[in-house]
Amino acid sequence: MSASNAKSTKAAKKVSPKDLEKKENFDHDGFWKDLMKRYFYPLLQRAFPNIYESCDASAEPTFLDQELHVVLNDPIMSLRHKPNTADCLVRVPWKNRPPEWLFVHVAAQSDDGDDLPERMLEYVGSFFIHYKLMPELAVIITEKRPESEPSFYHYKN
């Protein structure tokens, strides 16, 4: 095969827009996890400027994957929710206070129910049960949420 034939074969294998629409082939969670780990401070700066302003961006954040794994795989949590591997638990150095945990939840797909506020409360409760800590929360919503979803959680008996 000549060099020009090899080039035309490669050109024929370009990804079409229809291929990009196949969501089942795209790892949303892995994509967001990688973005957060590579570009943590720029992502905070863009998505959560108030949180970013409080961070000491000159110091490295610490990703607490092991601690997050304990919470996401808690028997009660895993019965109610499929673990979201895009989530990050990070020990963040702050400017005017000791380092604390920040839980960044990524709602990367719109088909995960309309109970986001309730799930966030459950995450916080699980962090407290396991570590006696209540992390700061940040949620990145990447797709339109259900209109029926409330913007806060209100417990009803």
Side-chain angles (χ1 to χ4, degrees):
M1 182 184 300
S2 70
S4 63
N5 285 347
K7 285 182 183 176
S8 65
T9 304
K10 280 187 178 180
K13 292 184 180 181
K14 285 187 177 178
V15 177
S16 73
K18 286 187 178 182
D19 291 332
L20 295 175
E21 292 174 7
K22 295 179 181 176
K23 291 183 179 183
E24 66 273 4
N25 293 331
F26 185 74
D27 179 11
H28 289 275
D29 289 352
F31 171 78
W32 280 99
K33 183 83 155 194
D34 186 53
L35 272 180
M36 281 193 281
K37 286 193 169 191
R38 287 181 189 223
Y39 306 107
F40 182 71
Y41 285 128
L43 184 63
L44 277 186
Q45 184 177 25
R46 189 81 168 163
F48 306 104
N50 292 344
I51 294 174
Y52 175 78
E53 287 301 316
S54 299
C55 290
D56 178 1
S58 68
E60 284 294 315
T62 304
F63 288 85
L64 305 170
D65 294 333
Q66 208 60 25
E67 291 84 348
L68 180 60
H69 180 77
V70 168
V71 169
L72 294 182
N73 290 296
D74 177 273
I76 292 173
M77 289 295 288
S78 61
L79 281 175
R80 293 183 45 87
H81 310 291
K82 182 182 108 184
N84 182 350
T85 58
D87 293 342
C88 285
L89 182 62
V90 187
R91 182 178 296 116
V92 177
W94 302 103
K95 289 179 182 172
N96 299 317
R97 56 186 168 152
E100 292 179 357
W101 291 8
L102 172 66
F103 176 61
V104 183
H105 174 75
V106 177
Q109 296 158 339
S110 61
D111 61 352
D112 63 350
D114 60 356
D115 61 345
L116 181 61
E118 182 179 347
R119 281 186 287 131
M120 296 310 298
L121 179 63
E122 289 174 354
Y123 283 128
V124 169
S126 191
F127 283 117
F128 186 77
I129 287 168
H130 286 280
Y131 300 109
K132 301 294 185 238
L133 295 170
M134 295 190 61
E136 301 248 353
L137 300 175
V139 179
I140 298 173
I141 300 174
T142 64
E143 294 189 18
K144 186 175 180 179
R145 302 296 302 164
E147 290 194 22
S148 62
E149 181 175 78
S151 59
F152 63 93
Y153 179 69
H154 177 73
Y155 178 76
K156 298 175 190 167
N157 279 339

